[in-house]
Amino acid sequence: MSGSTSGHPGHPGISRRGFIAGTGSLLGAAALAGRVPAARAEAAPAAALLVSGARLPVLVIGTGYGGSVAALRLAQAGVDVHMVEMGMAWDTPGPDGKVFCNTLEPDHRSYWLRTRTKAPLNYFLGLPIDRDIPRHTGILDAEEFGGITVYQGRGVGGGSLVNGGMAVTPRRENFGAVLPSVDPAEMYGVYYPRANAELGVGTVDPDWFDSTECYRYARVGRKHAQRSGFPFVFVPDVYDWDHMEREAAGTAPKSALAGEILYGNNHGKKSLQQTYLARARATGRVSVSPLHRVVSVAPAGGGGYTVVAEQLDTGGAVTATKTVTADRVFFAAGSVGTSKLLVTLKATGALPLLNDEVGRGWGDNGNVMCGRANHLWDPTGRLQSAIPCAGIDNWAAGGAFAEVAPLPTGIETYASFYLTITANPHRARFSWNAAAGRVELDWRTAWKQPSIDMARTIFDRINAKEGTIYRTDLFGVYKIWGDHLTYHPLGGAVLGRATDHYGRLTAYPGLYVIDGALIPGNTTVNPFVTITALAERNIEKIIATDL
Ligand code: FAE
């Protein structure tokens, strides 16, 4: 059978009781962190929303990978943690009985406060596929800056709710370019293994891969890669592979095989709700306020920090403004969210002593998308698992690592589709536009050209070998490259520059960055395992020395 490792496979919508019942896993997890959790008779009350005037030991902004690691480890060390999340809880089924909507049928649950979808792949056969939707605090944010659209997850679980679950540890020889100031021995010896175990990372069973219809598209990808002499690798994922095999056998409810991915998976995916966050909440020391957006952090008169958060309704309107005091604040709002907050707080005088590195060093992980048109005798299959499981590694020779991605349309497309991660050298900066009252990013669309050139080191050769061409109907009319977007924002508060070597904002004791903002723009592979492992490293140090 497939190789799912530890973790808590389950379903979104797991009940609070489920979180509490999961306490048995706590000791194992605590042992990993080298700490024993303080005993607690009861879990926190279910609805412990932020209350104005409260004094909190720790407030975490955001519930993605960095925030979830911080919350779990602090709670295990005996510290009460309150997590503030601007997105929804995603624990309640909608009118169709499902928590998440399908990729092919986007409804109000799909996008963050938009009246029209903004699909990453926005054309098909040259026709636009976006459609009108009711404005709602949906799960996927397509945040638009001047030269790039940055896709991000919104809700309790952050990006883990919407991502493909591809859980990739960078090759060790590339690590120096990923986090130059971090000792690879400790990362590969301790923190990457810890992150992989906690996230529940596993790999598809190669025998099943070879026989199942739902990975025909990936086998076509393998054949083409290998015939052109490229290394083809299986890519680990946090999807429960046993569940997927049961989906294919018709004995489990379908999620990956029903095209669910971009707007959430109703079954099978081990998002943070099933792993770190479940274990954090099982300590009884972690509470979460969904639909609360932090807008200010500033030193408080009597010590600690005054944090202001706006409570939102599902139409995005502010229904309350709450002010609390926290001894420590962890910025875990994601690369974009943390950068925007810090840049705003520095520029508007709330945290004026933040250094000039804040906002700098932002990259797109070199993301670029493309499709290839296959011959009619090379079908990629009507049934495609929405969870990618393989890639083409041309990093050393061409600076490109290409995921063989699905196009789960339900019809035969004769297309091979790829998201390529490249060694794009460009880095952008967030800055405060006082006149407009907003943070801007100076990325330029033309900066994708190196990514396109690197991706072409793979696909030009494959096309030449196979006698095939690029698809021109997926990103517009006669447009080959999906060069307007990224799924992998990284940087903006880079480790060792905006912060010290453990994420401390040293001008303000008790303020920390612990998310993708710390990583200087590229991880050579998909980023969340590195974000998680770095957070594990940093929080261990912070707990040992600062608390
Ligand atoms: P993140 O997970 O984004 O969490 C930040 C959280 O903070 C979010 O829940 C925000 O709503 C919240 N927030 C932001 N601002 C505020 C505020 N002011 N107040 C309160 N809350 C706030 O951050 N990565 C992989 O490794 N493998 C994949 O297969 C993969 N596929 C992806 C597919 C898609 C469509 C997308 C969008 C991303 C994908 N990623 C993938 C990227 C990955 O999800 C991302 O790197 C991580 O989620 C980033 O983790 P952070 O902890 O930095």
Side-chain angles (χ1 to χ4, degrees):
M1 295 298 281
S2 62
S4 307
T5 54
S6 71
H8 290 229
H11 308 288
I14 187 171
S15 66
R16 276 321 141 98
R17 195 167 289 132
F19 287 128
I20 295 163
T23 316
S25 67
L26 197 64
L27 287 174
L32 272 174
R35 302 192 165 262
V36 178
R40 276 231 143 178
E42 281 186 33
L49 287 188
L50 206 61
V51 178
S52 248
R55 174 111 206 174
L56 306 166
V58 170
L59 184 142
V60 175
I61 308 170
T63 56
Y65 293 91
S68 300
V69 171
L72 173 63
R73 299 311 180 197
L74 286 162
Q76 288 174 336
V79 181
D80 288 336
V81 177
H82 194 94
M83 306 181 81
V84 180
E85 168 56 53
M86 68 192 270
M88 303 202 329
W90 299 108
D91 60 359
T92 309
D96 59 358
K98 294 179 177 174
V99 175
F100 304 111
C101 69
N102 194 278
T103 316
L104 295 179
E105 292 294 331
D107 60 20
H108 64 286
R109 291 168 288 189
S110 58
Y111 282 87
W112 178 257
L113 300 178
R114 276 183 177 275
T115 53
R116 195 165 169 77
T117 64
K118 191 171 172 67
L121 191 155
N122 51 346
Y123 277 74
F124 193 63
L125 301 175
L127 299 173
I129 60 171
D130 282 317
R131 58 163 85 172
D132 292 341
I133 44 167
R135 186 181 146 94
H136 187 80
T137 47
I139 199 163
L140 185 63
D141 195 354
E143 190 169 359
E144 292 177 81
F145 293 97
I148 194 163
T149 302
V150 184
Y151 285 87
Q152 298 152 88
R154 294 274 174 253
V156 176
S160 78
L161 296 167
V162 298
N163 67 33
M166 297 181 84
V168 197
T169 301
R171 286 180 181 276
R172 189 163 174 160
E173 61 265 30
N174 297 332
F175 185 77
V178 177
L179 284 165
S181 67
V182 176
D183 175 13
E186 61 174 11
M187 289 296 280
Y188 287 85
V190 180
Y191 302 109
Y192 274 122
R194 184 176 297 172
N196 276 289
E198 291 285 345
L199 292 165
V201 176
T203 309
V204 65
D205 174 0
D207 291 337
W208 184 69
F209 172 83
D210 275 332
S211 62
T212 180
E213 177 59 22
C214 70
Y215 280 123
R216 176 188 292 272
Y217 74 93
R219 293 197 298 275
V220 170
R222 174 175 64 186
K223 181 174 69 181
H224 293 169
Q226 291 179 339
R227 285 206 292 229
S228 286
F230 292 114
F232 179 88
V233 292
F234 284 119
V235 174
D237 202 282
V238 297
Y239 203 86
D240 180 343
W241 293 103
D242 292 333
H243 184 93
M244 200 192 297
E245 289 189 28
R246 291 197 300 276
E247 290 180 44
T251 56
K254 287 188 171 49
S255 182
L257 299 200
E260 291 181 351
I261 177 79
L262 269 187
Y263 313 131
N265 281 86
N266 285 296
H267 310 279
K269 189 155 101 202
K270 289 171 274 180
S271 75
L272 289 166
Q273 289 183 333
Q274 282 81 40
T275 57
Y276 275 97
L277 284 173
R279 268 162 255 156
R281 295 172 93 159
T283 64
R285 290 193 176 276
V286 177
S287 48
V288 182
S289 288
L291 286 174
H292 281 64
R293 176 174 57 204
V294 170
V295 292
S296 181
V297 179
Y305 295 89
T306 303
V307 181
V308 180
E310 295 173 339
Q311 185 167 7
L312 307 176
D313 66 20
T314 55
V318 176
T319 57
T321 300
K322 300 179 179 179
T323 304
V324 300
T325 309
D327 295 334
R328 294 168 201 283
V329 177
F330 286 79
F331 288 83
S335 160
V336 174
T338 290
S339 303
K340 278 175 26 184
L341 270 174
L342 293 178
V343 164
T344 305
L345 297 174
K346 177 174 167 61
T348 56
L351 296 174
L353 304 180
L354 291 174
N355 74 28
D356 283 335
E357 289 290 331
V358 162
R360 292 179 192 265
W362 185 87
D364 67 341
N365 210 24
N367 281 191
V368 65
M369 292 179 178
C370 69
R372 292 179 38 257
N374 293 320
H375 297 294
L376 291 183
W377 58 84
D378 234 357
T380 46
R382 283 194 305 147
L383 174 66
Q384 302 198 359
S385 170
I387 298 294
C389 72
I392 303 167
D393 186 357
N394 194 37
W395 192 266
F401 175 83
E403 286 172 14
V404 180
L407 266 181
T409 56
I411 58 169
E412 177 57 57
T413 63
Y414 300 97
S416 287
F417 184 53
Y418 308 90
L419 167 61
T420 306
I421 294 163
T422 65
N424 190 309
H426 290 294
R427 295 293 177 269
R429 181 183 181 189
F430 293 95
S431 57
W432 175 248
N433 180 335
R438 63 164 186 262
V439 175
E440 293 175 348
L441 179 69
D442 64 0
W443 183 271
R444 292 182 227 152
T445 309
W447 287 1
K448 287 283 193 183
Q449 192 57 46
S451 293
I452 292 172
D453 295 341
M454 291 174 204
R456 289 182 60 176
T457 67
I458 296 176
F459 305 115
D460 279 4
R461 201 200 305 176
I462 291 179
N463 277 339
K465 177 79 182 170
E466 301 296 327
T468 51
I469 55 171
Y470 288 102
R471 291 283 289 233
T472 58
D473 63 326
L474 302 177
F475 301 102
V477 181
Y478 297 114
K479 183 165 172 10
I480 292 176
W481 298 98
D483 58 357
H484 58 295
L485 82 177
T486 184
Y487 284 178
H488 299 166
L490 293 166
V494 170
L495 189 78
R497 291 196 241 151
T499 74
D500 77 354
H501 289 294
Y502 291 92
R504 299 181 185 96
L505 290 160
T506 47
Y508 295 99
L511 295 190
Y512 307 89
V513 176
I514 192 150
D515 58 15
L518 291 172
I519 296 175
N522 202 301
T523 51
T524 73
V525 290
N526 315 61
F528 76 62
V529 175
T530 296
I531 294 170
T532 306
L534 182 65
E536 288 278 17
R537 166 193 179 268
N538 292 353
I539 197 68
E540 190 172 80
K541 182 72 161 190
I542 290 164
I543 289 170
T545 58
D546 295 17
L547 296 180

